[in-house]
Amino acid sequence: MKNILPTSTVGSLPKPAWLAPPEKLWSPWKLEGDQLLEGKQDALRISLQEQHLSGIDIISDGEQTRQHFVTTFIEHLSGVDFKNRKTVKIRDRYEASVPVVVDEVAGQKAVFVEDAQFLRKQTSQPIKWALPGPMTMVDTLYDDHYKSREKLAWEFAKALNEEAKALQEAGVDIIQFDEPAFNVFFDDVNDWGMAALERAIEGLHCETAIHICYGYGIKANNDWKKTLGSEWRQYEEIFPKIQTSNIDIVSLECHNSHVPLELMELIRGKKVMVGAIDVATNTIETPEEVAQTLRKALEFVAIENLYPSTNCGMAPLSREVARGKLSALSAGAALVRKELGGVL
Ligand SMILES: [Zn+2]
């Protein structure tokens, strides 16, 4: 890995069409049984190779083995009914049919460990694994048991902690928690959301990251962004709390967003995954555009703490566009590295 500006994606990449129909969320599997298991592993291999070929430094699984970044984890917990679903408003923004918590929730067995072991065997580069954060999990289902978002988040945090420890054991270098809900429920973040996340990372010695974005490039999110005005200051409400936490890395949306980059001052000292790739457009960034975002970020983040990345996951994009964006990210980071004196 290059010593400065190591590139990574936030997590998800498009799946091959033979595994699941592309360009949609919750896309159903096209295979079953043993064929599905083998298909998922093949997709993982392809995802890894595409990241290698594009020059990505910190490898992720591209989330090839999961249908959705939140619900796949929840499927493996006890106490959740996936059959009798209810419709709720996710992130206070769009309606979705979600599973229902009907009893005490608890982890049964590790969800992603075999996938992580598989990926670990295929590459010697650092690997990063994404898990949903407790608050975002709470916000992606209906609770008919605890009747308290805080209590439910705490139970999820315990299950996530078990999973994270098993992933660490499998050789994962960075465990990332996806918390898009942090950008919506500020008071909850400060009251209990961050505390729940601290519970999820308790006892880990690998690096930990939190990803907070403005969502995938789907219509409900794009419409919401139009209502946020010319300056998006959501991060300002939660960064002070994150700054004092034990989380090592913060992943943010920057390119093409209206986030004032000076807000990164509020997390000075943390490592920052700077989103230099917009996932809400099919237009592929030029290396120079990526470099511009990174140069601006360098005004607020120390060079050794800057991790060029994407704004969010790329699952809903076409494979061709996603490949182009991976290469642009790499080429943009290389431009800045060169300006700063090459690979240090
Ligand atoms: Zn995201």
Side-chain angles (χ1 to χ4, degrees), residues 196-218:
L197 190 61
E198 292 268 24
R199 176 67 185 86
I201 65 170
E202 203 176 278
L204 293 177
H205 51 76
C206 66
E207 288 205 291
T208 55
I210 180 172
H211 166 66
I212 311 161
C213 63
Y214 289 81
Y216 279 137
I218 58 173

Side-chain angles (χ1 to χ4, degrees), residues 10 69 178-180 211-216 251 253 279 311-313:
V10 156
F69 81 100
D178 294 334
E179 282 286 26
H211 166 66
I212 311 161
C213 63
Y214 289 81
Y216 279 137
S251 160
E253 178 162 338
V279 301
N311 277 353
C312 187

Side-chain angles (χ1 to χ4, degrees), residues 230-249:
S230 58
E231 274 211 335
W232 300 354
R233 303 196 72 92
Q234 282 72 13
Y235 290 141
E236 195 167 28
E237 307 285 335
I238 53 176
F239 275 3
K241 195 80 181 173
I242 293 173
Q243 169 72 357
T244 60
S245 76
N246 289 309
I247 286 280
D248 302 302
I249 306 171

Side-chain angles (χ1 to χ4, degrees), residues 224-289:
W224 172 59
K225 289 179 188 182
K226 284 179 198 149
T227 69
L228 296 178
S230 58
E231 274 211 335
W232 300 354
R233 303 196 72 92
Q234 282 72 13
Y235 290 141
E236 195 167 28
E237 307 285 335
I238 53 176
F239 275 3
K241 195 80 181 173
I242 293 173
Q243 169 72 357
T244 60
S245 76
N246 289 309
I247 286 280
D248 302 302
I249 306 171
V250 185
S251 160
L252 331 164
E253 178 162 338
C254 297
H255 182 60
N256 277 356
S257 82
H258 297 284
V259 172
L261 294 194
E262 67 265 23
L263 294 183
M264 287 190 241
E265 285 281 9
L266 297 170
I267 44 169
R268 195 169 269 282
K270 297 284 183 198
K271 293 173 177 169
V272 186
M273 277 168 63
V274 170
I277 295 288
D278 183 1
V279 301
T281 167
N282 286 329
T283 308
I284 295 168
E285 289 75 3
T286 63
E288 179 53 30
E289 282 173 322

Side-chain angles (χ1 to χ4, degrees), residues 12 15 24-29 40 63 65-83 85-88 90-91 94-101 105-107 109 111-112 130-142 156 159-160 163 178 180 216 315:
S12 69
K15 295 188 184 81
K24 59 175 172 181
L25 297 180
W26 281 292
S27 184
W29 301 116
K40 285 176 175 176
E63 303 185 10
T65 66
R66 49 188 122 174
Q67 208 170 31
H68 185 263
F69 81 100
V70 181
T71 46
T72 297
F73 185 76
I74 294 175
E75 272 170 34
H76 291 79
L77 303 176
S78 62
V80 187
D81 180 355
F82 268 77
K83 289 200 185 79
R85 301 165 81 94
K86 288 211 165 146
T87 297
V88 297
I90 290 185
R91 317 296 171 257
Y94 56 95
E95 292 197 332
S97 165
V98 294
V100 179
V101 176
V105 296
K109 68 183 205 37
V111 180
F112 297 119
L131 293 173
M135 180 186 279
T136 298
M137 287 170 74
V138 168
D139 196 54
T140 312
L141 41 65
Y142 182 84
F156 282 153
L160 285 165
E163 178 77 13
D178 294 334
Y216 279 137

